[in-house]
Amino acid sequence: MNVEQISIFIENKSGRLAEITSILDEAGINIRALSLADTSDFGILRLIVNDREKAKSILKERGFTVNKTEVVAVEVPDRPGGLARILKTLDSAAINVEYMYAFVERCGENAVIIFRFDETDKAINTLQANGIAILDGERLYRM
Amino acid sequence: MYFNEEFETMPKAALESLQLKRLQNVLERVYANVPFYRNSFDKAGIRPGDVKGLADLQRLPFTTKQDMRDSYPYGLFAAPLEEIVRIHASSGTTGKPTVVGYTRKDIDNWSDLMARSFAAAGVHKGDIIHNAYGYGLFTGGLGAHYGAERLGASVIPISGGNTKRQIMIMQDFGSTVLTCTPSYSLFMAEEAAAEGVDFKSMKLKVGIFGAEPWSETMRQEIEAKLDIAAIDIYGLSEIMGPGVAIECIEAKQGLHIWEDHFIPEIINPETGQRVADGELGELVITTITKQGIPLIRYRTRDITRLIKEPCVCGRTHARIARLSGRSDDMLIIRGVNVFPSQIESILVGIEGVEPHYLLVVDRKGTLDTLEVQVEVNDSLFSDEIKVLQALGKRIEKEIKDTLGVTCTAKLVEAKTIQRSEGKATRVIDKRKL
Ligand SMILES: [Zn+2]
């Protein structure tokens, strides 16, 4: 059910982001979604790719610090209030969203948003109980 | 096991009165026989007779490496050359070496102190000592050699070099003790592994390592790879050679400095004043029994602290902590003295932080700034910004709380800070650029 995201530590030096994307490109790895969170000194690049293991090992070989985290891909109806309803549901269940970002591809009529929760399982249960669709990892990587 | 129990376990009061008697004696001798000391004492307005107690030692001027160079080669000798039976010299990296001369009595004392040091490391008669310190002008080889013979152990004077042969001899001769630099022992371990020789199958039980800076991490590595206890020894040719101080095998917690022959002091290298008990500073040594070239308040440039608490081994002599750098490395940041080694020990105390760091000192306007760069490795990394920011804040807080210096922690990518044992660049001081 869960989706694996890889995160990479980068210093805010120019060219680092391009370096990573070209390393992955050369290795034939497809980036399905990407988000960069940064401070004045460093950044964390978060990626959903089609081949996590390969991406992780190839980046480690090149000296990057990489880890894997479980995130949740949620289908968000593409209409006003779609996202608001989801956030409200989470809020009333007292579930924290650490961060979120959009997935490139759509799933039919719906947008896909990647969520990082502090309590992943509880979040999944809550969302499903409220009729909100969650995308399976295997399906997502192939999208 | 003691080599000379009476002196090694002498009660503090008796030790201090012996020190005072010997100090007064050496001051008379250098004042009478060494023009350099006569001049420097006169300039400082102090006569040997003014030293009534050990506390008066602080009133005497320091002796530096430069003073030794200026007196090249024999200017600081306090005994006539006819009385000198051995001459050693340090390998200065620039210019002339510093020269030291030993009378027969000096060699005798040195042998005793080195034998004491061996005994403190758990070595005794019947042991086979593989002495891979260099024999020659350098004091390491002969110093350890004479001590080994004094103790009654069998010494193999193998000196340095030809590592394959060293390993063969160590194996065939059944060596039980290894003396060399810590880095050479690791090199031996690598060579042995390449040759298919397992150190665990050897009789080696203890290694006595000195003559270069090393760390606790390196000790663990040596102990694991050579399957021995690794003991830290301290000495410098100006003061005597190896055997000035050594760890006891019972505690391996600081090096006993033989106080019946040497008086240690710890000073602030900037002000020359003694630091408070237990604080880090530059080690200053006064030799109180040497005849050939006694040194008064010699500035070693080595950074350590004095441990005066009693030791489990029963020796009453104070200990110096493992050396944590050279006084030349000291930084003054907004008026606070900071040694890179202090920051290192704070960093390694934070779980997951590796001892690879870089300090960048700069000046913004009139204010000094300190940036502490720490690598983000797998165990520190998180996909959440706030976790990494909390790590940075924690480093800043611990440094502030411990050293009183405000800094900014900068997280950098793994393996981007230069590595190498001992000589890695730890500090970039842009104020001096
Ligand atoms: Zn002890």
Side-chain angles (χ1 to χ4, degrees), chain B residues 199-376:
Chain B
F199 261 96
K200 292 187 173 59
S201 69
M202 291 202 208
K203 288 190 174 150
L204 216 55
K205 59 172 188 184
V206 62
I208 296 164
F209 304 110
E212 67 185 19
W214 56 310
S215 61
E216 244 358 88
T217 323
M218 201 164 166
R219 181 199 322 255
Q220 284 158 16
E221 191 182 349
I222 292 171
E223 293 193 331
K225 287 190 173 161
L226 278 77
D227 193 29
I228 56 174
I231 299 288
D232 193 7
I233 188 169
Y234 177 72
L236 62 174
S237 68
E238 298 94 309
I239 295 302
M240 179 177 81
V244 173
I246 191 162
E247 286 177 329
C248 57
I249 193 143
E250 293 90 341
K252 285 204 277 187
Q253 198 60 253
L255 298 79
H256 289 283
I257 178 161
W258 303 123
E259 287 189 277
D260 50 338
H261 294 265
F262 311 107
I263 302 180
E265 299 171 82
I266 306 290
I267 62 157
N268 178 321
E270 277 304 302
T271 64
Q273 297 299 310
R274 280 193 195 171
V275 301
D277 269 356
E279 267 185 31
L280 212 55
E282 179 180 337
L283 176 64
V284 168
I285 298 177
T286 299
T287 70
I288 50 176
T289 53
K290 265 171 81 184
Q291 297 179 331
I293 177 165
L295 293 179
I296 309 303
R297 303 196 85 199
Y298 182 71
R299 293 192 56 166
T300 66
R301 315 302 291 176
D302 289 319
I303 297 299
T304 182
R305 59 190 177 84
L306 265 188
I307 305 166
K308 291 186 173 167
E309 288 73 36
C311 183
V312 289
C313 71
R315 290 176 182 83
T316 49
H317 299 237
R319 286 167 285 165
I320 53 172
R322 177 187 284 283
L323 300 190
S324 48
R326 304 278 297 165
S327 60
D328 314 79
D329 300 336
M330 189 178 85
L331 296 165
I332 305 174
I333 297 163
R334 271 170 261 155
V336 182
N337 298 336
V338 177
F339 296 102
S341 54
Q342 291 177 294
I343 292 177
E344 175 168 342
S345 61
I346 293 169
L347 292 177
V348 297
I350 298 174
E351 205 191 327
V353 177
E354 289 179 77
H356 307 295
Y357 61 95
L358 184 68
L359 309 181
V360 181
V361 188
D362 204 347
R363 184 166 284 148
K364 301 237 162 72
T366 55
L367 211 60
D368 297 328
T369 59
L370 170 66
E371 178 181 278
V372 179
Q373 296 188 2
V374 175
E375 290 183 357
V376 173

